[in-house]
Amino acid sequence: MGSSSPGPPPYHSRSSEADPLIGPRKPYRRYQSFCVYVAIALFFITFTIVNSPIIFHKDPLDPDVRDRIRKDWDIELRQHQKEVLEHNYTKTRWLLEDDNRILEEHERKVEERRKHEEEERLRLNMFWTDLASQTCTSYATREYTARLVNVPSYYDRRVEACMATPVKIHGVEYMPKWCEDYGPNDVIGHWEVDQHEPDCASYWLWYKDIGCISPGSGQRRIEHYLENLPSGADWKEFCATTPASFLGMHFMGAEICFQKDYGTYGHWVFDDENC
């Protein structure tokens, strides 16, 4: 036979379809690593460029930096002031609540003691005797006195019992104005009654216009004579507490009081455009 063409390469059991692909992978991996390095470098360059204003503008002498620092300080200062105010408010509220609790506790104890003393006083059946009218003390007001009896010798709150025991005068119950303790069964109560006391009601008479205090003063003076002054009464007290009405004005008493020719007079000074 003539020369024959070469046949196919011999088959090796160790070869596979993937063998031709293994070789080219090395250059690709080197390219991939190069791209990673470039990306990292670009990232750092970009980060540096973006943050360069911050990095290069931290100089405390730079006006912008100083303004930014001042603004930060202002924000911190306002926050601190707010916290201080909130702290002070909370502290004040707590102190107020403590004071209220103390006051409520004190009032509760006082009320409990008052009720206890009232029950004890009623149990002992203390009462008033020898009620007597005294002198007039001020306009339409008279003093009364009485003695509290049936007070045990061991009872050590006689003044409190006196102040808590009413007496009936002119059909009306009054509490004592003040009390005097001279010992058991000798506690004296004092009252000032300003109702149904006509003998103590003084009044003004003899209205007299004294005229202007002085030319151009703009003030006028009025004089009154005090009538029905009780015997032995304090004329100054009655002059100052006896009400007066004139020229459309009302006064609870005289502004100036004096005595002349055994009489008591009151003066008033008021504005008058005619003076």
Side-chain angles (χ1 to χ4, degrees), residues 31-251:
Y31 174 76
Q32 187 180 30
S33 300
F34 174 76
C35 292
V36 171
Y37 294 147
V38 170
I40 294 174
L42 289 175
F43 170 77
F44 280 107
I45 293 172
T46 304
F47 179 82
T48 303
I49 294 174
V50 171
N51 293 276
S52 59
I54 299 176
I55 295 174
F56 296 106
H57 287 81
K58 289 187 176 181
D59 184 2
L61 299 179
D62 187 282
D64 294 335
V65 174
R66 297 179 67 177
D67 290 341
R68 187 170 63 251
I69 293 174
R70 289 194 187 96
K71 291 179 181 179
D72 293 339
W73 286 353
D74 290 339
I75 294 174
E76 293 179 1
L77 178 60
R78 287 194 294 269
Q79 181 64 27
H80 175 70
Q81 291 174 342
K82 181 181 178 182
E83 293 175 356
V84 170
L85 290 175
E86 291 176 351
H87 173 75
N88 291 338
Y89 171 77
T90 302
K91 183 178 179 180
T92 302
R93 181 168 56 83
W94 286 350
L95 292 175
L96 182 61
E97 291 176 356
D98 290 341
D99 292 341
N100 290 336
R101 283 194 294 268
I102 294 174
L103 180 60
E104 290 175 358
E105 180 67 17
H106 175 71
E107 292 177 348
R108 184 184 63 80
K109 291 181 179 180
V110 170
E111 181 63 17
E112 289 178 354
R113 179 177 178 180
R114 187 194 66 78
K115 289 182 178 180
H116 175 73
E117 293 177 352
E118 178 70 9
E119 292 172 356
E120 188 175 13
R121 183 182 62 81
L122 294 174
R123 180 177 59 82
L124 295 172
N125 193 29
M126 301 179 192
F127 60 92
W128 295 106
T129 187
D130 302 333
L131 179 65
S133 62
Q134 306 297 331
T135 59
C136 298
T137 57
S138 60
Y139 171 75
T141 303
R142 183 184 295 276
E143 179 185 0
Y144 284 81
T145 59
R147 184 167 58 92
L148 188 65
V149 296
N150 206 26
V151 182
S153 58
Y154 65 84
Y155 196 77
D156 60 353
R157 294 188 297 276
R158 293 185 289 268
V159 173
E160 290 85 345
C162 170
M163 294 296 294
T165 305
V167 71
K168 186 172 289 187
I169 302 173
H170 303 316
V172 180
E173 285 192 343
Y174 294 91
M175 290 295 185
K177 188 80 172 184
W178 75 93
C179 295
E180 296 176 293
D181 183 9
Y182 298 106
N185 287 323
D186 197 12
V187 178
I188 306 301
H190 296 259
W191 292 262
E192 288 187 353
V193 179
D194 58 357
Q195 296 178 349
H196 310 292
E197 299 294 341
D199 294 342
C200 297
S202 52
Y203 55 90
W204 296 103
L205 197 63
W206 298 357
Y207 171 87
K208 184 178 182 181
D209 185 352
I210 303 298
C212 300
I213 294 179
S214 62
S217 63
Q219 291 184 318
R220 183 177 298 276
R221 185 172 59 181
I222 297 295
E223 179 180 285
H224 274 268
Y225 174 78
L226 186 63
E227 187 67 78
N228 198 36
L229 181 65
S231 177
D234 184 348
W235 63 271
K236 293 181 180 179
E237 182 69 22
F238 273 81
C239 177
T241 59
T242 301
S245 298
F246 53 86
L247 300 178
M249 296 179 291
H250 182 75
F251 301 88

Side-chain angles (χ1 to χ4, degrees), residues 9-24:
Y11 173 79
H12 298 283
S13 59
R14 294 182 180 178
S15 63
S16 73
E17 296 179 355
D19 287 346
L21 301 177
I22 295 176

